[in-house]
Amino acid sequence: MVMKHVKRKPGTLVCVGSYTIGKERVFLAVARALGSRVWANGTKRKILSTFHDASLNKLLTDVRGAAQVHVMGMGDLKLERLEEMITKPWFTARFDSVLALRPTGWTHSNKLAALTQIKPVVKGKITSYGIPYSEHSSYTELKQCVQALKPKRIIPTVNVGNAKSRELMASYFKRWQQGR
Protein backbone atom coordinates (compact mmCIF):
# COMPACT_ATOMS: atom_id res chain seq x y z
CA MET A 1 0.00 0.00 0.00
CA VAL A 2 2.79 2.44 0.94
CA MET A 3 4.93 1.65 -2.08
CA LYS A 4 1.94 1.97 -4.42
CA HIS A 5 1.05 5.35 -2.92
CA VAL A 6 4.61 6.69 -3.05
CA LYS A 7 5.06 5.45 -6.61
CA ARG A 8 1.95 7.42 -7.59
CA LYS A 9 3.02 10.45 -5.52
CA PRO A 10 6.85 10.48 -5.11
CA GLY A 11 6.77 13.65 -2.99
CA THR A 12 4.89 11.88 -0.20
CA LEU A 13 5.96 12.12 3.42
CA VAL A 14 5.04 8.89 5.23
CA CYS A 15 4.11 9.49 8.86
CA VAL A 16 3.88 6.39 11.04
CA GLY A 17 2.18 6.54 14.41
CA SER A 18 3.92 5.19 17.47
CA TYR A 19 3.50 5.10 21.22
CA THR A 20 6.29 5.93 23.67
CA ILE A 21 7.60 2.53 22.73
CA GLY A 22 6.19 0.28 20.07
CA LYS A 23 5.48 0.09 16.34
CA GLU A 24 9.22 0.07 15.54
CA ARG A 25 8.78 -2.84 13.14
CA VAL A 26 6.25 -0.85 11.13
CA PHE A 27 8.24 2.35 10.60
CA LEU A 28 11.50 0.45 10.05
CA ALA A 29 9.90 -1.76 7.39
CA VAL A 30 8.50 1.30 5.62
CA ALA A 31 11.85 3.14 5.80
CA ARG A 32 13.78 0.15 4.48
CA ALA A 33 11.29 -0.40 1.64
CA LEU A 34 11.60 3.26 0.62
CA GLY A 35 15.35 3.45 1.23
CA SER A 36 14.69 6.35 3.59
CA ARG A 37 16.06 7.68 6.83
CA VAL A 38 13.65 8.03 9.76
CA TRP A 39 12.97 11.32 11.52
CA ALA A 40 11.87 11.23 15.14
CA ASN A 41 11.71 14.03 17.68
CA GLY A 42 14.43 14.27 20.33
CA THR A 43 12.47 12.41 22.99
CA LYS A 44 11.67 9.52 20.66
CA ARG A 45 15.28 9.34 19.40
CA LYS A 46 16.49 9.19 23.00
CA ILE A 47 14.12 6.29 23.72
CA LEU A 48 15.14 4.49 20.51
CA SER A 49 18.81 4.90 21.40
CA THR A 50 18.24 2.66 24.43
CA PHE A 51 17.68 -0.24 22.02
CA HIS A 52 21.43 -0.23 21.22
CA ASP A 53 20.56 -1.22 17.64
CA ALA A 54 23.24 0.00 15.21
CA SER A 55 21.05 -0.52 12.11
CA LEU A 56 18.22 1.50 13.70
CA ASN A 57 20.58 4.27 14.81
CA LYS A 58 21.98 4.57 11.25
CA LEU A 59 18.48 5.28 9.93
CA LEU A 60 17.60 7.97 12.49
CA THR A 61 17.99 11.66 11.76
CA ASP A 62 17.06 14.87 13.53
CA VAL A 63 16.59 16.72 10.22
CA ARG A 64 12.94 16.52 9.17
CA GLY A 65 13.58 17.12 5.48
CA ALA A 66 16.26 14.39 5.34
CA ALA A 67 13.76 11.59 5.92
CA GLN A 68 10.75 10.50 3.90
CA VAL A 69 9.54 8.53 6.94
CA HIS A 70 8.62 10.28 10.17
CA VAL A 71 7.72 8.41 13.34
CA MET A 72 5.24 10.45 15.34
CA GLY A 73 2.95 10.11 18.32
CA MET A 74 -0.50 8.76 17.49
CA GLY A 75 -2.02 12.10 18.55
CA ASP A 76 0.18 13.92 16.04
CA LEU A 77 -1.55 12.01 13.22
CA LYS A 78 -4.85 13.81 13.76
CA LEU A 79 -5.92 15.57 10.56
CA GLU A 80 -5.79 19.02 12.19
CA ARG A 81 -2.17 18.52 13.25
CA LEU A 82 -1.17 17.12 9.86
CA GLU A 83 -2.86 20.07 8.12
CA GLU A 84 -0.77 22.40 10.26
CA MET A 85 2.41 20.41 9.55
CA ILE A 86 2.03 20.60 5.75
CA THR A 87 2.29 24.40 5.90
CA LYS A 88 5.77 24.32 7.47
CA PRO A 89 8.75 25.35 5.31
CA TRP A 90 10.64 22.08 5.94
CA PHE A 91 7.60 20.21 4.52
CA THR A 92 6.93 22.38 1.49
CA ALA A 93 10.62 22.37 0.52
CA ARG A 94 10.60 18.60 -0.14
CA PHE A 95 7.10 17.12 0.12
CA ASP A 96 3.72 17.68 -1.48
CA SER A 97 1.50 15.13 0.31
CA VAL A 98 1.24 13.01 3.44
CA LEU A 99 0.46 9.35 3.91
CA ALA A 100 -0.33 8.78 7.60
CA LEU A 101 -0.38 5.26 9.04
CA ARG A 102 -1.96 4.61 12.42
CA PRO A 103 -0.96 1.03 13.29
CA THR A 104 -2.96 -0.04 16.31
CA GLY A 105 -4.90 -3.01 17.55
CA TRP A 106 -7.74 -0.62 18.38
CA THR A 107 -8.60 -0.28 14.67
CA HIS A 108 -9.26 -4.04 14.41
CA SER A 109 -12.62 -5.05 13.00
CA ASN A 110 -14.00 -8.52 12.39
CA LYS A 111 -15.80 -7.02 9.36
CA LEU A 112 -12.51 -6.79 7.45
CA ALA A 113 -11.68 -9.96 5.55
CA ALA A 114 -8.49 -8.47 4.07
CA LEU A 115 -6.27 -5.42 4.49
CA THR A 116 -7.29 -4.31 0.99
CA GLN A 117 -10.72 -3.49 2.46
CA ILE A 118 -9.27 -0.75 4.67
CA LYS A 119 -10.46 2.59 3.38
CA PRO A 120 -8.42 5.74 3.93
CA VAL A 121 -9.56 9.12 5.13
CA VAL A 122 -8.52 11.62 2.47
CA LYS A 123 -8.52 15.35 3.05
CA GLY A 124 -6.67 17.49 0.54
CA LYS A 125 -3.00 16.50 0.52
CA ILE A 126 -3.44 14.06 3.42
CA THR A 127 -4.30 10.37 3.18
CA SER A 128 -4.68 8.54 6.49
CA TYR A 129 -5.08 4.83 7.17
CA GLY A 130 -5.97 3.07 10.41
CA ILE A 131 -4.05 -0.19 10.17
CA PRO A 132 -5.06 -3.10 12.41
CA TYR A 133 -1.71 -4.03 13.93
CA SER A 134 -0.64 -5.23 17.33
CA GLU A 135 2.36 -7.04 18.71
CA HIS A 136 0.54 -7.92 21.87
CA SER A 137 -2.31 -10.13 22.94
CA SER A 138 -5.68 -9.95 21.29
CA TYR A 139 -8.85 -9.07 23.18
CA THR A 140 -9.71 -12.79 23.44
CA GLU A 141 -6.21 -13.68 24.64
CA LEU A 142 -6.33 -10.98 27.33
CA LYS A 143 -9.75 -12.16 28.47
CA GLN A 144 -8.54 -15.77 28.69
CA CYS A 145 -5.43 -14.69 30.58
CA VAL A 146 -7.49 -12.76 33.16
CA GLN A 147 -9.87 -15.69 33.58
CA ALA A 148 -6.98 -18.17 33.99
CA LEU A 149 -4.78 -16.09 36.32
CA LYS A 150 -7.61 -14.44 38.31
CA PRO A 151 -5.68 -11.27 39.22
CA LYS A 152 -6.89 -9.25 42.19
CA ARG A 153 -6.32 -5.98 40.39
CA ILE A 154 -5.96 -4.96 36.74
CA ILE A 155 -4.41 -1.62 35.83
CA PRO A 156 -5.23 -0.54 32.27
CA THR A 157 -2.61 1.42 30.33
CA VAL A 158 -4.69 2.26 27.25
CA ASN A 159 -8.05 3.98 26.78
CA VAL A 160 -7.74 5.75 30.11
CA GLY A 161 -7.89 9.33 28.84
CA ASN A 162 -11.32 10.15 30.28
CA ALA A 163 -13.78 8.84 32.87
CA LYS A 164 -16.06 7.20 30.30
CA SER A 165 -13.17 5.22 28.77
CA ARG A 166 -11.92 4.17 32.21
CA GLU A 167 -15.41 3.00 33.17
CA LEU A 168 -15.70 0.99 29.96
CA MET A 169 -12.32 -0.68 30.57
CA ALA A 170 -13.32 -1.43 34.17
CA SER A 171 -16.56 -3.03 32.96
CA TYR A 172 -14.62 -5.32 30.60
CA PHE A 173 -12.30 -6.39 33.40
CA LYS A 174 -15.18 -6.97 35.81
CA ARG A 175 -17.00 -9.19 33.27
CA TRP A 176 -13.79 -11.12 32.57
CA GLN A 177 -13.19 -11.64 36.28
CA GLN A 178 -16.75 -12.95 36.63
CA GLY A 179 -16.06 -15.48 33.88
CA ARG A 180 -18.16 -13.79 31.18
Side-chain angles (χ1 to χ4, degrees):
M1 165 189 358
V2 173
M3 295 303 290
K4 186 189 243 183
H5 186 94
V6 171
K7 194 172 192 173
R8 224 176 42 253
K9 296 181 178 184
T12 297
L13 171 64
V14 181
C15 298
V16 181
S18 177
Y19 301 117
T20 302
I21 189 167
K23 312 307 179 196
E24 290 81 13
R25 291 181 186 185
V26 177
F27 67 78
L28 288 174
V30 170
R32 288 180 178 130
L34 294 174
S36 172
R37 309 260 332 255
V38 175
W39 176 86
N41 68 27
T43 302
K44 184 68 173 185
R45 283 193 319 277
K46 187 182 267 188
I47 291 165
L48 293 171
S49 74
T50 67
F51 290 16
H52 303 290
D53 180 334
S55 64
L56 168 61
N57 292 336
K58 272 188 205 173
L59 290 177
L60 293 174
T61 181
D62 61 352
V63 179
R64 287 180 179 255
Q68 190 174 10
V69 177
H70 287 198
V71 59
M72 302 165 65
M74 291 292 193
D76 293 328
L77 295 183
K78 292 179 180 172
L79 286 175
E80 305 81 46
R81 292 197 182 162
L82 293 173
E83 287 174 321
E84 182 183 318
M85 181 188 74
I86 66 175
T87 66
K88 304 292 183 186
W90 65 263
F91 178 88
T92 58
R94 176 167 179 204
F95 305 106
D96 54 32
S97 63
V98 172
L99 175 60
L101 305 175
R102 289 175 288 103
T104 174
W106 296 102
T107 60
H108 171 73
S109 168
N110 289 327
K111 296 175 187 169
L112 291 176
L115 290 179
T116 55
Q117 293 178 310
I118 297 170
K119 299 297 178 215
V121 173
V122 179
K123 187 171 183 190
K125 298 177 178 183
I126 301 165
T127 302
S128 179
Y129 284 92
I131 310 293
Y133 175 88
S134 179
E135 292 182 13
H136 355 242
S137 303
S138 69
Y139 177 92
T140 303
E141 290 167 331
L142 287 172
K143 178 181 175 184
Q144 291 169 343
C145 180
V146 167
Q147 290 175 338
L149 295 177
K150 298 179 179 28
K152 291 180 182 173
R153 184 172 178 209
I154 302 169
I155 302 170
T157 59
V158 295
N159 287 349
V160 294
N162 61 53
K164 187 175 181 175
S165 293
R166 287 189 296 275
E167 289 169 13
L168 181 61
M169 295 298 285
S171 73
Y172 290 148
F173 298 155
K174 186 175 181 177
R175 285 196 318 253
W176 295 352
Q177 288 172 311
Q178 294 171 345
R180 301 185 280 148

